Amino acid sequence: MNKFQNHKNNNWVFALVCFIAMFNINTVVSQQDAQYTQYMYNTVSVNPGYAGSRGNLSIGVLHRSQWVGLDGAPTTQTFNIHSPIGYRGVGLGLSIVNDEIGPTSETAFDVDFSYTIKTSIEGKLSLGLKASANLLDIRYSELNQYATDQSLEQDIQNRLTPNIGAGVYYHTDKFYLGLSIPRILETSHFDSSSTSTANEKMNFYLITGYVWDLNPDLKFKPTLLTKAVKGSPLQVDLSANFMFNDKLILGAAYRWDAALSGMFGFYISEGFLLGLAYDKETTELGNTSFNDGSFEVLLRYDFIKTKGNLKSPRFF
């Protein structure tokens, strides 16, 4: 395929993404949160009850490029920091999530609070609250060159909407289960006089996982994430990871009717995790020549001061 043909394909692909974005803007739709393949290492982004549950100060960053090769395809960056505070079961955290698709971008600033109570010798139950501020940008000027209707509205910059969320997170050394709604308020980004409406709907999350010791050097870690939002298909992510010598992680994942994924993790040093993931679409979009799949890279560092005080290493 020559350069002219590639340029035509890229223009067509960008037009497709712009059409999707324009459809989402000019009709009443249910807006979904960003998705992650390595959700098991990024739990605080969807469940405030996770804040401080690692028992030490933890910092994580993640980048996701979805549908690489498709102009205007979604990209997501996250940053989070959280830690237990004192000895009263309180955890605090801060998260920043930037999500872009075509001519739209949204940045969420989240403050997480959790309170943990012991339910048994090994079990802990955390109740979490999330306070959010979302900034929305829409560049209608990028849509005008593809739209037949040239009367689209002016660009929107830094449209601010507050929100709140809540979550419950139960865990032991080997098992965890969480339920959460990161965004409870179903806010509208536009007023009734606008030709465009985009409502932010509640996203319900269920996340769970377990660690099996297959032998002293090998652990098996299956995980499950289910996300439900009104007006969109149910999302089910099932993953299976194997950990070798508490250092190397290899695994695979399946997103129901959407994608197959491969995952790689490696502890560069104690508490410093590198995670990589690649998704291959199982839909018709995955068979196109301009879609090279989706990629994620994650870095997480735990400031472990006294390992001797921990009953066992944390694997989630």
Side-chain angles (χ1 to χ4, degrees):
M1 182 177 292
N2 58 40
K3 292 183 179 179
F4 177 73
Q5 289 174 313
N6 280 330
H7 181 71
K8 287 183 64 178
N9 282 341
N10 287 337
N11 284 342
W12 179 85
V13 169
F14 184 75
L16 174 63
V17 173
C18 286
F19 173 78
I20 295 172
M22 184 169 59
F23 176 79
N24 286 335
I25 294 167
N26 285 277
T27 57
V28 178
V29 297
S30 56
Q31 182 176 344
Q32 291 203 54
D33 294 339
Q35 69 180 21
Y36 310 100
T37 299
Q38 300 176 96
Y39 57 84
M40 66 291 295
Y41 306 127
N42 195 42
T43 307
V44 72
S45 293
V46 299
N47 192 327
Y50 187 82
S53 68
R54 298 191 61 77
N56 46 251
L57 177 64
S58 181
I59 299 177
V61 293
L62 181 148
H63 173 82
R64 177 180 176 86
S65 293
Q66 189 162 324
W67 307 335
V68 174
L70 194 158
D71 290 349
T75 61
T76 303
Q77 299 83 36
T78 71
F79 167 83
N80 60 69
I81 178 171
H82 62 101
S83 175
I85 305 298
Y87 301 93
R88 300 181 180 275
V90 175
L92 291 177
L94 170 68
S95 297
I96 303 173
V97 180
N98 182 63
D99 201 24
E100 298 185 12
I101 175 171
T104 69
S105 62
E106 185 173 16
T107 303
F109 300 88
D110 300 338
V111 176
D112 299 307
F113 170 87
S114 70
Y115 181 72
T116 301
I117 56 176
K118 296 195 69 171
T119 58
S120 65
I121 296 177
E122 295 185 353
K124 295 180 180 179
L125 180 66
S126 300
L127 308 176
L129 294 174
K130 181 186 291 286
S132 303
N134 292 3
L135 291 176
L136 177 68
D137 290 342
I138 300 178
R139 299 177 294 279
Y140 283 102
S141 55
E142 296 183 13
L143 291 175
N144 285 336
Q145 58 182 311
Y146 296 103
T148 56
D149 180 7
Q150 299 297 315
S151 62
L152 291 174
E153 302 175 15
Q154 294 182 348
D155 291 356
I156 292 175
Q157 296 182 346
N158 298 330
R159 178 66 61 88
L160 178 66
T161 55
N163 216 314
I164 57 173
V168 178
Y169 184 76
Y170 173 81
H171 72 274
T172 67
D173 291 338
K174 300 291 184 182
F175 170 77
Y176 66 93
L177 173 66
L179 295 170
S180 61
I181 308 174
R183 310 280 185 262
I184 292 178
L185 301 180
E186 297 190 349
T187 58
S188 176
H189 290 293
F190 308 95
D191 57 37
S192 58
S193 63
S194 174
T195 60
S196 306
T197 55
N199 293 333
E200 188 163 0
K201 298 294 186 180
M202 287 191 292
N203 288 241
F204 297 83
Y205 287 86
L206 182 149
I207 184 170
T208 187
Y210 192 83
V211 180
W212 269 287
D213 293 310
L214 301 182
N215 62 52
D217 299 320
L218 179 62
K219 293 179 175 61
F220 176 51
K221 305 192 305 174
T223 60
L224 171 71
L225 179 141
T226 301
K227 181 170 70 172
V229 56
K230 184 179 179 181
S232 298
L234 182 70
Q235 178 181 319
V236 179
D237 287 53
L238 181 64
S239 70
N241 284 294
F242 292 90
M243 174 178 265
F244 303 87
N245 296 318
D246 293 345
K247 198 171 186 70
L248 174 65
I249 304 170
L250 297 175
Y254 175 64
R255 183 171 298 120
W256 192 266
D257 285 340
L260 288 170
S261 308
M263 291 183 289
F264 168 85
F266 185 76
Y267 277 94
I268 300 172
S269 63
E270 182 182 10
F272 189 14
L273 173 66
L274 165 67
L276 302 172
Y278 171 75
D279 298 353
K280 178 63 177 176
E281 292 284 323
T282 57
T283 63
E284 292 184 3
L285 184 60
N287 297 324
T288 56
S289 59
F290 49 77
N291 180 5
D292 295 324
S294 304
F295 297 85
E296 275 186 14
V297 57
L298 171 140
L299 292 172
R300 187 183 69 190
Y301 188 78
D302 291 318
F303 292 83
I304 303 175
K305 294 182 179 180
T306 54
K307 186 175 180 179
N309 289 340
L310 299 179
K311 292 183 178 180
S312 65
R314 291 299 310 277
F315 299 112
F316 45 82

